Amino acid sequence: MAEEYKLPRGTQDFLPETCDKLEYIENTLKNMAGLYGYHEIRTPIFEHTNLFLRSVGESSDIVNKEMYTFLDKGGRSITLRPEGTAGVMRAFVENKMYALPDTPIKLFYDGSVFRYERPGAGRYRQITQFGFECLGVHSPLIDAELILMNCAMLYTLGVKDFVIKVNTIGDVQSRENYKVELREYFKDHLDELCEDCRRRYEQNPLRILDCKIDGDKDLVKNAPIIKDYLTEESKAYFEKLLSYLDKFEVPYEVDNRLVRGLDYYCDTVFEIKCKTPDGKDYGAIGAGGRYDGLIEQVGGPHTPGIGMAFGVERLLLLLESYNFFEGYYNTFDAYIMPIGKECLDFAFDITMFLRSNGFKAECEVQGKSMKSFFKSVERQKVPFAIIVGEDEIKNRVCNVKNTLTKEQVTISLDELCTYLNKELNKIYQRSSCSGECNGNCSCE
Ligand code: AMP
């Protein structure tokens, strides 16, 4: 294929098997978000460039180096969203959601964001972010709740070895105190900093601490930490948050160097880190923070808020590294095989009957031999092969083979759905049994 038609750098094709996995991840996040009172919001993939300049901030790397910005045919400067929060904040203000009486207002989004980053392992230019914004309440309990929800999501997905790095960047006064100290500290070392950081020194020295170039230098690592400049109120807020995290046994670590340098961020900031079993680190799988000044920044009334976003592709890499998707996952439930052309219509009727009862079923329509049918069953890891021949038609039964246990039973059509349901529950362990069924459900 000619180079010019190939996949653009930093993007990916997701083939059906991977889409199934992504869907599983996204559905898990969505279901859990529902338990915590979040509702979906969808905003455009592109916005006026100024929105990001204003909200993400002109001094950020995202705005300075990573945005896909272009003039549309009407001469407007448009940008493909580089993150999800700005659009949600705009929609919140534009639709006067701040006037809604029942706070907090909890929103989630799931969509692509675009950043012109250097592609690498777990780093792409088109990223799916699944994010959450909780608006209207300033409370450490709300911050803890968001982190608890993130933990519940990861546990449900099967991710166990993660750690939440958490820090506070205090209130405005704390940060003003801290900025003075940082400027003092870096004053005599400006020539050791990158060009961007020299600019950040003037604009907002906190941003030097999360610079991708200078962040690892000893000079930056030994810089004063915000902890020592917090106001009493900010200190108490953070302590309360940590007490909730302790109470609910959240696997967290305080990381005094974690900052979000943008002016509208305050108090809580966090990042979720996780390594693969073979020690690979794809960077944070999610990150977030409190942003009490952001709604005002985009033209709304003062509204406190906190948000975070997961990188869905990184979650996928992680789950794949755990072999989470191995086995009988998301294939169809039953593959129906007619013995001979005469039985095809009956086999198709059974397929349709199963589909209308909520089973994923497929009918073999190409006249395959039994051998090649079973090869296909094996390749696709279908849990049940259903065989129908003339005798079965006559007796209104079918032969069901459990391809895991190799057990084969003859079942009347009336009982087929109940049987499959029970057996599939065993395979997928999706029984909702409380353990007190006395053998009256499918949990055994
Ligand atoms: P951020 O908006 O930068 O806080 O990112 C939130 C999450 O999105 C991160 O924790 C990552 O999981 C994910 N993410 C950000 N940038 C990338 C990227 N270039 N490639 C893959 N995932 C990313």
Side-chain angles (χ1 to χ4, degrees):
M1 181 185 275
E3 208 53 45
E4 62 197 299
Y5 300 144
K6 285 192 175 159
L7 192 71
R9 223 163 108 72
T11 64
Q12 307 178 77
D13 291 321
F14 294 115
L15 304 184
E17 195 189 335
T18 312
C19 287
D20 288 345
K21 297 175 186 176
L22 291 171
E23 193 184 310
Y24 167 79
I25 294 172
E26 289 169 331
N27 283 343
T28 304
L29 299 183
K30 206 169 173 172
N31 290 339
M32 190 59 74
L35 297 185
Y36 283 75
Y38 281 81
H39 295 277
E40 186 172 5
I41 183 163
R42 298 186 192 199
T43 63
I45 270 182
F46 59 83
E47 299 271 359
H48 290 291
T49 303
N50 278 340
L51 175 69
F52 302 114
L53 300 188
R54 188 85 187 132
S55 62
V56 182
E58 293 188 50
S59 66
S60 67
D61 274 359
I62 292 185
V63 163
N64 273 302
K65 301 183 194 151
E66 297 172 0
M67 295 210 304
Y68 282 87
T69 297
F70 57 95
L71 290 182
D72 71 6
K73 296 205 190 308
R76 302 170 197 91
S77 180
I78 293 293
T79 293
L80 301 184
R81 61 182 177 203
E83 51 95 57
T85 302
V88 175
M89 297 303 114
R90 181 204 46 70
F92 185 85
V93 173
E94 214 163 331
N95 294 285
K96 299 194 172 51
M97 291 178 81
Y98 48 76
L100 293 172
D102 300 311
T103 47
I105 294 161
K106 294 175 168 179
L107 305 167
F108 77 82
Y109 58 86
D110 177 21
S112 295
V113 305
F114 304 85
R115 294 182 188 175
Y116 192 78
E117 288 202 73
R118 184 198 292 271
R123 192 162 349 96
Y124 310 102
R125 288 181 173 170
Q126 177 170 344
I127 311 141
T128 314
Q129 283 194 341
F130 201 119
F132 308 89
E133 315 292 352
C134 178
L135 291 140
V137 178
H138 175 90
S139 153
L141 186 57
I142 287 288
D143 302 10
E145 186 192 54
L146 178 64
I147 293 174
L148 288 172
M149 178 178 78
N150 292 159
C151 292
M153 288 168 165
L154 292 172
Y155 288 133
T156 309
L157 282 172
V159 181
K160 288 179 196 77
D161 298 323
F162 62 87
V163 61
I164 316 267
K165 303 250 181 187
V166 59
N167 195 20
T168 176
I169 54 166
D171 52 16
V172 175
Q173 187 56 51
S174 310
R175 282 197 308 281
E176 282 314 313
N177 301 343
Y178 184 43
K179 279 180 195 170
V180 171
E181 282 306 311
L182 279 181
R183 286 207 178 92
E184 185 58 31
Y185 173 80
F186 284 117
K187 185 175 75 182
D188 298 329
H189 303 280
L190 290 182
D191 51 350
E192 295 168 48
L193 296 175
C194 72
E195 199 186 319
D196 285 334
C197 282
R198 288 201 288 273
R199 182 172 40 79
R200 289 174 184 138
Y201 176 83
E202 299 298 337
Q203 286 178 327
N204 180 356
L206 252 83
R207 309 229 57 226
I208 298 174
L209 305 179
D210 59 3
C211 171
K212 286 177 190 148
I213 301 168
D214 289 337
D216 287 336
K217 291 182 182 161
D218 283 343
L219 173 67
V220 174
K221 285 188 181 154
N222 296 328
I225 50 176
I226 184 131
K227 186 167 162 253
D228 301 327
Y229 304 91
L230 295 175
T231 59
E232 286 307 313
E233 211 181 333
S234 291
K235 229 186 264 176
Y237 189 99
F238 191 48
E239 275 162 17
K240 193 75 193 159
L241 167 68
L242 297 186
S243 75
Y244 288 127
L245 300 186
D246 286 331
K247 179 176 166 191
F248 288 96
E249 298 180 4
V250 169
Y252 77 88
E253 277 171 16
V254 175
D255 179 349
N256 288 314
R257 308 216 159 262
L258 184 66
V259 290
R260 299 227 137 190
L262 304 182
D263 286 339
Y264 54 77
Y265 273 102
C266 62
D267 294 305
T268 311
V269 290
F270 65 98
E271 215 174 70
I272 308 173
K273 303 283 271 183
C274 188
K275 281 195 182 134
T276 64
D278 54 358
K280 277 200 200 102
D281 183 354
Y282 292 116
I285 49 174
R290 176 159 281 285
Y291 48 67
D292 288 355
L294 181 54
I295 288 286
E296 271 164 304
Q297 198 80 5
V298 295
H302 176 75
T303 311
I306 182 166
M308 74 80 59
F310 280 115
V312 175
E313 290 81 3
R314 287 192 186 167
L315 284 175
L316 174 69
L317 286 170
L318 200 61
L319 292 191
E320 282 183 330
S321 77
Y322 285 140
N323 292 326
F324 179 83
F325 297 106
E326 289 282 296
Y328 287 86
Y329 173 73
N330 219 5
T331 167
F332 37 92
D333 301 322
Y335 199 178
I336 296 91
M337 169 75 177
I339 307 177
K341 275 207 289 281
E342 312 69 44
C343 302
L344 177 60
D345 286 359
F346 185 66
F348 191 69
D349 288 348
I350 294 181
T351 310
M352 292 302 285
F353 167 70
L354 287 178
R355 287 172 179 160
S356 66
N357 279 283
F359 296 96
K360 290 186 263 179
E362 195 66 29
C363 183
E364 203 305 293
V365 295
Q366 301 174 82
K368 275 188 189 152
S369 70
M370 202 54 94
K371 190 171 166 197
S372 87
F373 167 74
F374 271 106
K375 272 203 176 133
S376 177
V377 164
E378 199 176 318
R379 259 193 316 271
Q380 300 186 74
K381 297 179 177 165
V382 187
F384 292 96
I386 298 182
I387 319 288
V388 285
E390 282 177 359
D391 282 352
E392 282 76 25
I393 298 179
K394 218 182 298 157
N395 300 322
R396 296 200 55 75
V397 296
C398 55
N399 278 315
V400 184
K401 180 166 183 180
N402 181 327
T403 63
L404 265 177
T405 62
K406 311 288 178 218
E407 244 171 17
Q408 191 158 329
V409 288
T410 303
I411 296 272
S412 83
L413 292 186
D414 294 340
E415 288 166 23
L416 181 59
C417 290
T418 316
Y419 175 79
L420 286 181
N421 233 335
K422 194 169 169 182
E423 296 302 308
L424 284 165
N425 275 341
K426 283 187 205 161
I427 294 174
Y428 294 122
Q429 295 172 344
R430 59 187 181 195
S431 165
S432 56
C433 178
S434 61
E436 291 167 4
C437 67
N438 294 325
N440 292 325
C441 84
S442 58
C443 68
E444 9 75 270

